[in-house]
């Protein structure tokens, strides 16, 4: 009978002399040890099954089994999702923030933007606090998270056009730099967030806050005159 020595991924087996020096260590035993160790590296969160379901629906994060039980594959998928959307800490725990972000993205209906049939349309769903880009009526950049104006500074709904672009804009009233600035109405526009985007109590003064990678992507696509469609209403505003 093989005896396991050590713990985690470094566990190995010793075979008693009576079994013969050439007795093989079964693949089943090794696989079991590795699987348990890998699963233990991620705790099972309160919203495990819900997050598994949303990630399976969204696709692109790896193989996910919707059973409410953490596995190495589930762990890897959740970490990949958390890193993509700037969720901290990105350790695979299906907590309230991961659940909220996944739920909002899964609830986003890209057709609701009613984008133009030709050209680029930047879409902002205030209700789900998500944003994406359409090109010639099809999804060009998949939905990502955003944070818009909070109560008293609600981001207005409507159809606008980008009318100013600055790689780094200085905000006089709020004394802060706005990276990847693309204005579309008044003093409101797209820009990289300067705070943790998942703090639900925070909000912008009407701008559409983006994660750095999304702000950079939007900047690379945007041009003066491009369409921005904003619809819905941020909860609580």
């Amino acid at each position: 009978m093989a005896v396991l020595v050590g713990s985690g991924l470094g566990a190995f087996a010793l075979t008693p002399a009576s079994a013969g020096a050439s007795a093989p260590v079964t693949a089943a035993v090794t696989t079991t040890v590795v699987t348990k160790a890998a699963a233990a590296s991620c705790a099972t969160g309160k919203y495990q099954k819900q997050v598994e379901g949303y990630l399976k629906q969204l696709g692109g994060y790896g193989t996910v089994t919707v059973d409410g039980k953490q596995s190495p594959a589930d762990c890897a998928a959740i970490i990949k999702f958390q890193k993509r959307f700037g969720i901290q800490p990105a350790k695979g725990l299906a907590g309230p923030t991961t659940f909220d972000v996944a739920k909002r993205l899964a609830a986003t209906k890209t057709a609701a933007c009613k984008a133009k049939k030709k050209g680029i349309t930047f879409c902002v769903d205030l209700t789900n606090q998500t944003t994406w880009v359409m090109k010639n009526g099809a999804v060009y950049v998949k939905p990502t998270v955003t944070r818009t104006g909070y109560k008293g500074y609600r981001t207005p709904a409507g159809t606008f056009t980008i009318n100013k672009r600055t790689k780094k804009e200085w905000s006089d009233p709020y004394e802060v730099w706005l990276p990847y600035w693309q204005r579309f109405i008044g003093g409101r526009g797209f820009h990289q967030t300067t705070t943790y985007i998942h703090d639900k109590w925070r909000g912008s003064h009407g701008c559409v806050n983006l994660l750095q990678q999304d702000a950079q992507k939007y900047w690379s696509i945007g041009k003066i005159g491009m369409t921005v469609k904003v619809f819905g209403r941020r909860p609580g505003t």
Side-chain angles (χ1 to χ4, degrees), residues 193-211:
T193 181
T194 56
T195 56
Y196 185 53
I197 202 168
H198 301 298
D199 285 338
K200 296 297 287 280
W201 56 273
R202 292 183 188 271
S204 72
H205 292 92
C207 289
V208 178
N209 294 167
L210 300 169
L211 293 168

Side-chain angles (χ1 to χ4, degrees), residues 80-141:
K80 184 176 181 180
F81 178 82
Q82 291 170 330
K83 287 182 176 179
R84 166 62 184 91
F85 296 105
I87 300 170
Q88 302 170 3
K91 295 185 177 180
L93 179 70
T97 299
T98 301
F99 167 69
D100 175 68
V101 172
K103 181 180 180 181
R104 284 157 46 200
L105 289 168
T108 297
K109 306 301 181 185
T110 55
C113 181
K114 297 180 180 178
K116 299 188 305 178
K117 295 299 181 182
K118 292 185 178 180
I120 295 289
T121 302
F122 290 87
C123 304
V124 181
D125 180 343
L126 297 173
T127 303
N128 287 306
Q129 292 288 279
T130 54
T131 177
W132 63 98
V133 183
M134 306 284 281
K135 182 177 182 180
N136 299 331
V139 176
Y140 185 56
V141 177

